[in-house]
Amino acid sequence: MSVTINFNRLFVSSASHNLCFFDEFSSGVNIISGRNTSGKSSLLQSLLFAFGVNDVRENLAEILSYNPIFRVDFTKTVDGVEEKYTIIREPKSIYVREPKGRVVPFHGIDADNSVEHVKLKDYMRDLVGFTLLLEQKGELKSAPLESMFLPYYISQSVGWVYLRESFSNLQYYKGFKDDYLDYYLGVNNSFDRVKYRELTRKKDRLTADIQNLNRYSKKAEFQFSNLVDETFGEKAEEYIESYVKRSSSLEEERIKYIKLCNELSLLQNHHKILKRTRSNVKSQKYNDIDRCPACTQVLSYSLEGLYSHYQKYNDTVELESHIADKLTTKKSQINSSSKVIEKFRKEIQDDYGVLLSKNVDGVTFDQWVDNKANIKLYKKMQKDIGDSENELDAVRSFINSMNTEQEAVSARKAKERGFEELFSDYASQLKLNPLVDSRYLNLYSINSFPRQGVELHKTVMAYHFALNAIIAKTKIAHRLPFLLDAILKEDIDETNLATILSFVSNNLPEDTQTFVSISEHVKSDSEVRDEKDIKPIEKISVKDVKDAYFPENSKLIYIGGGELERGFLSQLLEDHQELHDETLDLTAI
């Protein structure tokens, strides 16, 4: 079920200049004409701008300086059911009147990344059933409004030279071409593209890591180190095991030794104080003051009495003797600990010396130790290789399970065959030499064409018409009016002029409107016949083109009456005052 949009009329009014543009459109072909720079492109861009497409703002700069209001009345058709809508745009606001009369406002839509513009984009997506997602910065995001119009708008500036560039900046979305074509051609591409690309990058990284590790681990020093480690073998392992145990015992004994030395130092200080105390007791004075035997602090008589009392319970001489005995014992313990430490050190040194003198197949322990770091690194690399290979197998398995990608590729091939058939047929109608290189025939491969001038113009025209026809046949994506800006280049000769006009008239889309802008084209001296064998004419005007090539219900719209340059806003506002007032009333919410 696809949605079709038809534009019914366009009204652009400037109250400050009392000027406007107003016209109603045919449901078939609308031919827009006028002098060069009259504003033909401005009409098409006004339709886009009214729907919130900010990409055309720069091209409308002169008109926007009039501070205008844009209004488009349009019809939405789904399964034959029509609904009438009105969309109104002021410089920074948009209002949508729905079929039941409700007006939905959006304020602050002049910047694409504003909150209100995002809301507007979501509203428009729901309106036409536009669900395209594009990848940006590793995330899938709703496609911008420009991509909603892209297949249906060919700009005058670049649309007839470059593909998919009628709007700027769309190429910055990752994988834009494939996602864009998949959507409009109905190719089911529902697998997680972000996950798939992430896994593909991870697979490539793991493959490169494994290759680098394998290459690095084969270097001569690692191979030699591995050989040394294997040949020295058991004796080195035995020594290491013994060394760990003895080293642990040695460390414990050293801690014990340090503790004993600290205890000895404490006892020595205590013993020194007791000696001074005993000496001072003998010479202690019994006057009003005295000094502390330990710190020489002057003490009052009351402290002297306290000190004497303390000596009655702690006989200084007896305590000194006891401390001296402890000093002797502690010194003995220290000497014993020192001997144990020396014993452990000697055993370790003797065993190490034996190991140093050992030679296994020309490999010494020193060489083994020197290469042990390389062995560690080598073993780590082997482990990393194994882990990476396991991870790589898991990634490959996951990628292979995403078989919808293969289904998408098959569906693309089928669409490409249909496009190539149409494209070649259209190129033939435009009297172009056939393209044979697959780069210019396979839809998903085409980026440009190897042609110049009018041949390039006609080739790109065949491309756009073929793509539009394929989208119409698919009947999945929304359908918008086909907007063809400036289908005739100024340097097109008489023969190519007739060829292009015949092609356009014979291949117009049947399910949508078409808007075609053409400048007045004058021919001299020669006679030109179209394929319908019309009467020969010497001067071809756009009215002549309309009558000769396009259906009877086609409408011709002259910008500025066909006489004015910059004549887009040339009608008097007072002639459409009622419509202007109604438009203002809809924005008064």
Side-chain angles (χ1 to χ4, degrees), residues 461-473:
M461 181 174 286
Y463 172 91
H464 287 306
F465 271 77
L467 179 61
N468 191 292
I470 289 292
I471 295 173
K473 288 181 179 180

Side-chain angles (χ1 to χ4, degrees), residues 12-28:
V12 183
S13 61
S14 170
S16 60
H17 291 71
N18 195 33
L19 295 172
C20 71
F21 171 88
F22 173 76
D23 217 320
E24 296 181 338
F25 302 130
S26 165
S27 59

Side-chain angles (χ1 to χ4, degrees), residues 440-539:
Y440 310 120
L441 294 173
N442 296 342
L443 180 59
Y444 283 82
S445 301
I446 299 173
N447 290 310
S448 61
F449 294 105
R451 286 173 171 168
Q452 297 178 353
V454 68
E455 284 200 342
L456 176 60
H457 182 85
K458 292 194 294 183
T459 304
V460 173
M461 181 174 286
Y463 172 91
H464 287 306
F465 271 77
L467 179 61
N468 191 292
I470 289 292
I471 295 173
K473 288 181 179 180
T474 302
K475 296 182 179 180
I476 292 178
H478 61 279
R479 297 288 287 159
L480 299 181
F482 203 17
L483 310 179
L484 307 174
D485 193 7
I487 64 168
L488 300 178
K489 296 170 62 70
E490 293 181 0
D491 59 346
I492 293 179
D493 58 33
E494 297 174 6
T495 302
N496 279 311
L497 175 66
T499 300
I500 291 173
L501 291 173
S502 296
F503 170 78
V504 172
S505 64
N506 291 331
N507 295 286
L508 292 170
E510 298 179 355
D511 61 329
T512 64
Q513 289 174 294
T514 301
F515 287 75
V516 179
S517 71
I518 307 175
S519 294
E520 286 288 344
H521 206 94
V522 179
K523 293 295 161 188
S524 61
D525 300 329
S526 61
E527 295 180 345
V528 179
R529 291 177 177 268
D530 71 350
E531 295 181 2
K532 299 177 183 178
D533 197 26
I534 64 169
K535 182 180 179 180
I537 52 177
E538 294 183 353
K539 180 179 179 181

Side-chain angles (χ1 to χ4, degrees), residues 335-349:
N335 291 334
S336 297
S337 179
S338 178
K339 290 179 180 180
V340 172
I341 290 173
E342 186 60 28
K343 174 177 173 291
F344 283 142
R345 290 175 60 183
K346 188 175 185 304
E347 288 177 352
I348 292 174
Q349 180 63 32

Side-chain angles (χ1 to χ4, degrees), residues 69-93:
I69 298 175
F70 297 80
R71 170 175 174 165
V72 178
D73 294 282
F74 64 95
T75 300
K76 170 185 173 182
T77 305
V78 183
D79 292 337
V81 178
E82 296 184 350
E83 294 180 325
K84 303 293 184 180
Y85 286 82
T86 298
I87 186 167
I88 299 168
R89 176 161 188 175
E90 296 175 337
K92 296 184 179 181
S93 299

